[in-house]
Amino acid sequence: TVDVPALSPLDALAHAGAALLVLTVAWPSYLAACRLFPEAATAVRLAAAWGAMAALQVGLFLVSTAVGRFAFAPLAATTTVLTLVAQARWGGAASTLVRRDLAAAHDMWRALGPWRVVAALVTVPAALRIVRALVAPPLAWDALTYHLPRAVEWVQHGTFAPLPGPDASTYYNHFPPYGEVYFAWALAATRTDAWLFAVAAWTWVGVWIGGYALARTIGAAPPAAAAAASAGAAVPAVASLVSAHYVDNVALATLLVALTFVLRTLAHWRAADALAAGVRLGLLLGTKSSALAVTLVIGAWTCLAALAERAPAARRALAVATLAAGVLAAPPFVRAFVDTGNPLSPL
């Protein structure tokens, strides 16, 4: 038999704190999505909520590390206050949308008919990976060499500490950091890797929701959109990385959500859609270097569309998206420029 160590009261308290952190990041993000997109379809609102969770974590990371206070207690206190304020201001209006979204999810599941069996099966590889993250430590090469060590340094020092070491560490320090921010939040809660499974699950769900929302935005019916999202989320390259703790799936989910709001912006030129698109593109730029070319193409495409529209609403939406993307994307490039003289280092 294998002796399983008992959970100490202190460990139980730490895990309860981690659960509190998850709740107080997720709920105000959903409320913000309800506030910005009350008339949107459920898929769009959930995609907005996923993106808001990412933006909230990155935003609080940037603020807290700037003052050397990236730690569980300040983070939990801040997110708890945000949750209470958001609930007081937006909770009443959002209660109707919660029921609508639950009903829409139920209707979509029923609309799949016999395809529900296939939809359930495609979640098996990702589910097994998440279970693996619950019972086994991270073992993937990049996770052990820089993704998780960078997050550990930030948690240990409470600020944007460099990764110590020679050679490769000198350029690991200037890789876009936002993908590792989510790992840092999970590590800060218990100061162990116990809650990395939550990041794995949240990321994979983001890939599915982003794919579904994007498909619905371009006109796919719910069953077809669910099939597209499930196919994308079940791709071996995606499913195999669920518990690897790499940033590739984070970048994919962020891109899919960003494209959803880019297309909505091009269709209606609403400020809320432009804000959501800009924030997600800024997060994408700060997540993976290879996203730079993709983001530039999307940005150029949006600029040309806004110029061709020749309407004040288009110019305002473009300004909102550009400002939001620039504010979020700038910190890693500024840090690289200050440290190396090259804002694109280590490219």
Side-chain angles (χ1 to χ4, degrees):
T1 61
V2 178
D3 293 329
V4 179
L7 191 67
S8 72
L10 196 59
D11 288 337
L13 185 62
H15 289 297
L20 173 68
L21 208 56
V22 171
L23 177 64
T24 56
V25 168
W27 185 242
S29 299
Y30 176 75
L31 292 178
C34 291
R35 177 68 178 83
L36 287 173
F37 304 100
E39 302 302 326
T42 294
V44 172
R45 197 157 38 250
L46 293 180
W50 189 93
M53 289 180 68
L56 179 59
Q57 291 176 85
V58 170
L60 288 180
F61 170 81
L62 293 173
V63 172
S64 60
T65 53
V67 296
R69 297 292 294 167
F70 184 77
F72 170 74
L75 293 175
T78 303
T79 56
T80 300
V81 170
L82 285 174
T83 301
L84 294 174
V85 171
Q87 178 63 32
R89 291 181 63 87
W90 304 328
S95 60
T96 302
L97 293 177
V98 172
R99 291 191 292 271
R100 184 193 304 174
D101 291 343
L102 289 173
H106 180 259
D107 291 343
M108 185 273 289
W109 179 249
R110 290 186 61 186
L112 291 178
W115 289 100
R116 282 177 288 188
V117 176
V118 179
L121 287 175
V122 299
T123 66
V124 170
L128 291 175
R129 289 283 180 170
I130 292 168
V131 170
R132 181 210 172 279
L134 271 168
V135 300
L139 295 174
W141 177 260
D142 285 0
L144 294 178
T145 52
Y146 67 94
H147 287 310
L148 294 178
R150 294 179 78 193
V152 167
E153 289 295 319
W154 303 336
V155 172
Q156 286 182 338
H157 296 278
T159 189
F160 204 103
L163 187 65
D167 302 325
S169 296
T170 59
Y171 65 84
Y172 288 161
N173 285 322
H174 298 107
F175 279 6
Y178 293 168
E180 288 89 1
V181 167
Y182 314 117
F183 303 143
W185 275 75
L187 295 170
T190 62
R191 303 187 78 84
T192 71
D193 61 11
W195 277 76
L196 287 176
F197 81 93
V199 181
W202 172 74
T203 302
W204 188 82
V205 168
V207 172
W208 196 95
I209 288 176
Y212 184 82
L214 180 58
R216 293 286 286 137
T217 299
I218 62 178
S230 299
V235 168
V238 173
S240 64
L241 290 180
V242 167
S243 63
H245 308 302
Y246 286 11
V247 302
D248 302 76
N249 283 356
V250 174
L252 175 59
T254 306
L255 175 62
L256 292 171
V257 173
L259 285 174
T260 298
F261 290 100
V262 167
L263 292 180
R264 285 176 57 85
T265 301
L266 295 175
H268 306 292
W269 299 110
R270 295 188 183 120
D273 290 314
L275 176 64
V279 168
R280 278 58 174 181
L281 289 175
L283 291 173
L284 183 61
L285 280 169
T287 299
K288 200 164 180 64
S289 299
S290 57
L292 179 60
V294 175
T295 307
L296 288 176
V297 170
I298 295 172
W301 174 30
T302 307
C303 287
L304 290 174
L307 292 173
E309 188 69 21
R310 297 173 180 264
R315 291 194 293 270
R316 284 194 297 270
L318 180 61
V320 168
T322 303
L323 180 62
V327 168
L328 265 177
F333 294 101
V334 171
R335 182 178 297 277
F337 178 76
V338 171
D339 291 346
T340 69
N342 175 16
L344 300 179
S345 178
L347 292 180

